[in-house]
């Protein structure tokens, strides 16, 4: 991978991480179009994901600081409740990371998987958009309210969605937001929860790669990694703010249509 390929793939990652169109799927498609050979490791993916996590931290810095301040009051308050729900949401992806990591890495070599997963993403987005419309009146009256806008069982179900979204082509933000909307979580609450729940898993994976020596053994050079990180970070800052506004106001069916079209094209031209 050269610096130009890393730049383009970093931009793809940053722009698609927060939009419900699957950043991992677009990275796989981008590699194929740019002629980048699939490496035996996923270090580049981890690095650019870490960049978008950093973008998330900057965008939500006030909320994160408030959560930390509330946590260190050492009592059960709104902040502690929110953090505990994030922890509950991480249980499924922790299990997948611990016991199925090698299997998941094997999926990244197949564009057929990406195409099928994009169609699944499209179906989920469309269904969640339809299902959430019927709850607008209830949301306005406060009948669907939970503490911090989400319950523990909803957090766990959203976590299941995140665990399934390790499949390339199955959008993490689309899956988590979609499952949350289907479960009755308000759009405003789901947008923030979806972006914050991924911080610890991705940072943890990046830390393990550094400690375990995977970063040093990567087939990708240092310069492409740095360029990819910076490109994903800058474009991620923009995309994160855009997606927050889109989730609150826009209809997800347009993203569903996009995912369906890309998925069909991948399946048609995949070898």
């Amino acid at each position: 991978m050269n610096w130009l390929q890393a730049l383009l793939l970093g931009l793809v990652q940053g722009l698609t991480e927060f939009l419900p169109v699957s950043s991992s799927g677009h990275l796989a498609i981008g590699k194929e179009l740019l002629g980048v050979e699939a490496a035996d490791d996923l270090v580049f993916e981890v690095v650019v994901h870490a960049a978008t996590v950093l973008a998330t931290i900057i965008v939500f810095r006030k909320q994160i600081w408030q959560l930390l301040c509330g946590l260190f009051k050492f009592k059960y308050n709104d902040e502690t409740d929110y953090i505990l729900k994030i922890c509950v949401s991480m249980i499924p992806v922790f299990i997948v990371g611990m016991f199925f990591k090698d299997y998941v890495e094997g999926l990244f070599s197949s564009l057929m998987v990406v195409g099928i997963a994009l169609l699944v993403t499209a179906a989920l987005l469309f269904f969640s958009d339809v299902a959430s419309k019927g709850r607008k009146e209830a949301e306005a009256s406060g009948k669907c309210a939970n503490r911090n806008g989400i319950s523990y069982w909803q957090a766990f179900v959203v976590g299941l969605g995140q665990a399934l979204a390790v499949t390339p082509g199955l959008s993490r933000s689309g899956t988590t937001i979609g499952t949350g909307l289907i479960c009755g979580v308000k759009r405003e609450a789901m947008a923030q929860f979806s972006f914050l729940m991924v911080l610890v898993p991705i940072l943890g994976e990046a830390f393990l790669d550094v400690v375990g020596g995977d970063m040093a053994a990567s087939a990708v050079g240092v310069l492409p990694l740095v360029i990819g990180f910076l490109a994903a970070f800058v474009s991620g800052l923009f995309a994160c703010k855009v997606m927050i506004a889109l989730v609150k106001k826009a209809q997800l069916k347009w993203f569903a249509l996009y995912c369906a079209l890309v998925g069909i094209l991948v399946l048609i031209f995949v070898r």
Side-chain angles (χ1 to χ4, degrees):
M1 181 185 297
N2 58 42
W3 69 269
L4 181 57
Q5 292 169 329
L7 175 65
L8 295 175
L9 292 175
L11 291 173
V12 169
Q13 163 64 27
L15 292 174
T16 59
E17 170 65 22
F18 300 103
L19 300 179
V21 295
S22 178
S23 60
S24 59
H26 279 73
L27 276 179
I29 296 171
K31 284 185 176 182
E32 182 70 18
L33 293 176
L34 293 173
V36 176
E37 295 183 5
D40 293 331
D41 57 76
L42 295 177
V43 172
F44 182 79
E45 282 80 356
V46 172
V47 168
V48 292
H49 273 86
T52 50
V53 165
L54 181 58
T56 305
I57 292 174
I58 291 177
V59 172
F60 289 101
R61 60 190 181 278
K62 293 181 180 179
Q63 293 89 332
I64 294 173
W65 178 252
Q66 183 179 353
L67 289 174
L68 293 176
C69 290
L71 176 65
F72 288 105
K73 290 181 180 178
F74 300 105
K75 62 180 182 180
Y76 193 81
N77 49 31
D78 285 345
E79 291 78 16
T80 306
D81 175 82
Y82 199 84
I83 291 175
L84 287 175
K85 288 171 181 175
I86 288 179
C87 291
V88 168
S89 74
M90 292 191 300
I91 294 174
V93 76
F94 173 78
I95 294 174
V96 171
M98 287 295 294
F99 300 104
F100 302 100
K101 182 178 180 181
D102 292 340
Y103 175 77
V104 171
E105 289 183 353
L107 296 176
F108 280 78
S109 61
S110 173
L111 278 182
M112 180 70 72
V113 172
V114 172
I116 295 173
L118 281 170
L119 293 179
V120 174
T121 298
L124 177 61
L125 289 174
F126 181 80
F127 180 73
S128 64
D129 197 42
V130 172
S132 65
K133 287 181 180 179
R135 299 193 180 96
K136 287 185 177 180
E137 293 183 3
E139 288 181 359
S141 63
K143 293 180 180 179
C144 296
N146 291 297
R147 190 169 190 175
N148 286 311
I150 188 170
S151 67
Y152 279 99
W153 78 267
Q154 289 170 332
F156 183 75
V157 173
V158 170
L160 289 175
Q162 177 171 248
L164 293 174
V166 297
T167 305
L170 193 57
S171 169
R172 191 206 65 81
S173 62
T175 302
T176 54
I177 291 173
T179 52
L181 293 179
I182 292 172
C183 290
V185 184
K186 294 181 180 180
R187 288 175 178 262
E188 294 82 357
M190 196 59 247
Q192 177 174 304
F193 192 84
S194 172
F195 294 147
L196 293 182
M197 67 185 288
V198 75
L199 296 181
V200 175
I202 291 184
L203 289 177
E205 184 178 3
F207 175 76
L208 291 176
D209 280 343
V210 173
V211 173
D214 291 343
M215 195 70 72
S218 173
V220 183
V222 174
L223 180 60
L225 287 177
V226 172
I227 292 177
F229 179 92
L230 293 176
F233 172 70
V234 174
S235 58
L237 278 176
F238 167 78
C240 184
K241 295 181 179 180
V242 170
M243 185 56 191
I244 294 172
L246 289 177
V247 171
K248 293 179 180 179
K249 300 178 181 180
Q251 295 179 335
L252 296 178
K253 65 182 181 182
W254 300 113
F255 293 107
L257 178 61
Y258 171 81
C259 289
L261 290 175
V262 175
I264 291 172
L265 288 175
V266 170
L267 292 179
I268 291 175
F269 293 104
V270 69
R271 297 176 181 178

